[in-house]
Amino acid sequence: MLSETPSLKNVFNHADQLSGAQAKALASALYANASYIDDLGVLSPAVERICQKHVSRYVQPEQYDIVGNCLLGAMKEVLGHALTPEIHTAWAVAYRQLAGLMIGREAQVQKSEEVTSFYLEPQVKNGESKRPLPSYHPGQFISIRTDVPQLQHLQPRQYSLSDAPQPEFYRVSVKRETGLDPLHPDAPEHPDINSNILHDHKEVGDVIQVSHPAGDFFVDVMQQRDKKQPLVLISAGVGLTPLLSILKSLVESGSTQPISWIHATRSSTVQAFASVVSVITQRCENVHAVVFNKLPSE
């Protein structure tokens, strides 16, 4: 797996690979998942520990497919004819179920109390194969159009893409907006109705209308990654989303230019992607972060 996908060497600990600890951990997780397939709640404490570690190691949703394919290939190589098509399918389903649980939990860990990330995948009709999504420059946005019952018509809302470009999905990270005056429950609803609809009414599998990426605020990674002059990314609150896309894209491209991440937040409880930025700064000597916290005691 590591020879076919060298980028995963940045995720898996080398010492754990040599000692066999990583392989044992994966095998134990899969065995436990199969043992409690009808009562997965038993695994919650173990899943939580794994997810917290995955977030600290910057594990991405698309990497689960790579590990899953290699895992099934290894099972075929070791078991041979004993791995019947029925057993192969059962293990594939069990792995996807476990991966889905972890991906969902890790997305929650990476968000804040106010911001939730939504992963948008293209709708695939029967008989069609999934095609890669149109790419974009980090910093650009998409428009999401949702039906607003109280207005009785559709409403568009633009959201910055918050991840480095991926062919399988778009990610937007949306802030929940409370009433215009949170201290008074009878106050009018916040005018940003679309964001609250995404938070309160949309479920996994729902279909929404999404535009192609657009926007003139972006970084061309191919032109930027070899530059040596410092790059400064300044944001506040949920305004970090386009800059996070830029930061992750540059890091993944191998850029060595000095990058300063400067962010302002009300408190640590509402600071989105704090763990993601922390991992990047720990791994990349050229990236430095400064966070201004208005209420550091919270």
Side-chain angles (χ1 to χ4, degrees):
M1 179 181 70
L2 296 180
S3 61
E4 294 178 0
T5 314
S7 61
L8 288 180
K9 293 179 180 179
N10 298 322
V11 175
F12 290 103
N13 182 273
H14 183 64
D16 289 344
Q17 293 296 310
L18 293 177
S19 67
Q22 181 68 54
K24 291 178 182 178
L26 177 58
S28 297
L30 289 171
Y31 178 78
N33 184 61
S35 300
Y36 297 100
I37 196 71
D38 295 322
D39 188 15
L40 292 178
V42 175
L43 303 179
S44 294
V47 170
E48 181 65 21
R49 287 195 299 273
I50 296 171
C51 289
Q52 294 288 340
K53 181 171 288 188
H54 281 186
V55 170
S56 73
R57 291 189 175 185
Y58 201 29
V59 172
Q60 300 299 299
E62 63 273 14
Q63 292 169 339
Y64 278 91
D65 287 338
I66 299 173
V67 174
N69 291 333
C70 291
L71 172 69
L72 293 172
M75 292 175 69
K76 179 65 176 177
E77 181 178 336
V78 173
L79 298 177
H81 295 299
L83 187 70
T84 64
E86 293 78 12
I87 295 176
H88 181 279
T89 300
W91 275 111
V93 171
Y95 177 82
R96 285 196 297 269
Q97 185 178 34
L98 180 61
L101 288 173
M102 291 185 172
I103 290 171
R105 177 54 186 150
E106 287 157 24
Q108 291 178 332
V109 172
Q110 292 180 16
K111 69 176 185 180
S112 73
E113 288 187 353
E114 295 180 339
V115 178
T116 297
S117 289
F118 295 85
Y119 291 81
L120 311 176
E121 297 183 355
Q123 185 181 20
V124 180
K125 298 180 181 179
N126 292 335
E128 291 184 350
S129 58
K130 183 179 287 189
R131 293 180 295 178
L133 288 166
S135 189
Y136 58 90
H137 290 300
Q140 291 189 303
F141 59 82
I142 57 172
S143 181
I144 295 178
R145 204 160 61 158
T146 54
D147 182 58
V148 180
Q150 51 267 60
L151 299 179
Q152 297 185 345
H153 57 74
L154 295 169
Q155 277 286 282
R157 173 73 157 83
Q158 285 74 47
Y159 296 100
S160 295
L161 292 152
S162 62
D163 203 352
Q166 307 291 340
E168 299 90 0
F169 62 85
Y170 291 150
R171 187 181 76 178
V172 294
S173 302
V174 182
K175 179 182 177 183
R176 179 191 296 277
E177 299 288 3
T178 54
L180 290 177
D181 187 349
L183 299 179
H184 294 83
D186 296 331
E189 186 176 10
H190 195 281
D192 189 3
I193 302 172
N194 292 54
S195 295
N196 291 338
I197 287 177
L198 290 177
H199 275 271
D200 299 331
H201 301 293
K202 295 301 179 183
E203 303 290 343
V204 174
D206 285 352
V207 178
I208 57 176
Q209 297 182 19
V210 177
S211 73
H212 279 224
D216 58 358
F217 175 80
F218 62 82
V219 165
D220 188 325
V221 174
M222 297 303 293
Q223 295 182 3
Q224 187 74 27
R225 66 179 181 180
D226 296 325
K227 292 185 177 181
K228 301 302 180 183
Q229 65 266 40
L231 176 67
V232 182
L233 303 174
I234 304 175
S235 63
V238 76
L240 59 72
T241 52
L243 302 187
L244 182 65
S245 176
I246 292 172
L247 176 64
K248 291 186 66 176
S249 297
L250 288 173
V251 168
E252 292 179 11
S253 75
S255 172
T256 58
Q257 72 176 133
I259 302 175
S260 295
W261 174 271
I262 302 175
H263 181 67
T265 181
R266 292 201 319 277
S267 71
S268 58
T269 59
V270 299
Q271 182 184 349
F273 299 106
S275 61
V276 174
V277 175
S278 176
V279 170
I280 291 175
T281 57
Q282 291 173 27
R283 290 186 172 177
C284 304
E285 295 182 354
N286 60 310
V287 181
H288 302 276
V290 178
V291 177
F292 295 89
N293 196 326
K294 183 177 181 181
L295 302 171
S297 61
E298 292 191 3

